[in-house]
Amino acid sequence: ISSPQSKLCIFHRDIKPANILIDYQKKLSESDIQDISVKIIDFGMSGIVRSDQKYLTNCGSSYYMAP
């Protein structure tokens, strides 16, 4: 995740469906979705990316890790 305002790069390390919130609002007169908002939550295992450091720690939810 990178914030354009601060130039801070953060990696999450635990992306899974339980950590993604999706909110939407429908128009009152039609069935079309008007506005969708996606948010990532639970940054407990996250870290700040530094160019001089390697990240080799294996962490996260085992059911959602790549093989």
Side-chain angles (χ1 to χ4, degrees):
I1 298 171
S2 178
S3 170
Q5 294 86 7
S6 65
K7 303 283 185 190
L8 184 66
C9 294
I10 299 173
F11 56 99
H12 191 277
R13 292 204 248 192
D14 195 25
I15 293 291
K16 59 186 176 186
N19 290 339
I20 300 172
L21 300 178
I22 300 174
D23 185 28
Y24 64 92
Q25 296 179 358
K26 291 184 178 182
K27 294 181 180 178
L28 295 177
S29 60
E30 300 175 20
S31 63
D32 294 336
I33 295 175
Q34 182 178 0
D35 189 24
I36 297 176
S37 175
V38 178
K39 295 181 181 178
I40 299 173
I41 61 170
D42 190 6
F43 285 81
M45 287 192 267
S46 65
I48 297 173
V49 177
R50 294 189 178 93
S51 61
D52 62 337
Q53 188 172 357
K54 290 184 179 182
Y55 300 95
L56 304 173
T57 305
N58 193 8
C59 63
S61 299
S62 58
Y63 290 115
Y64 298 100
M65 288 183 176

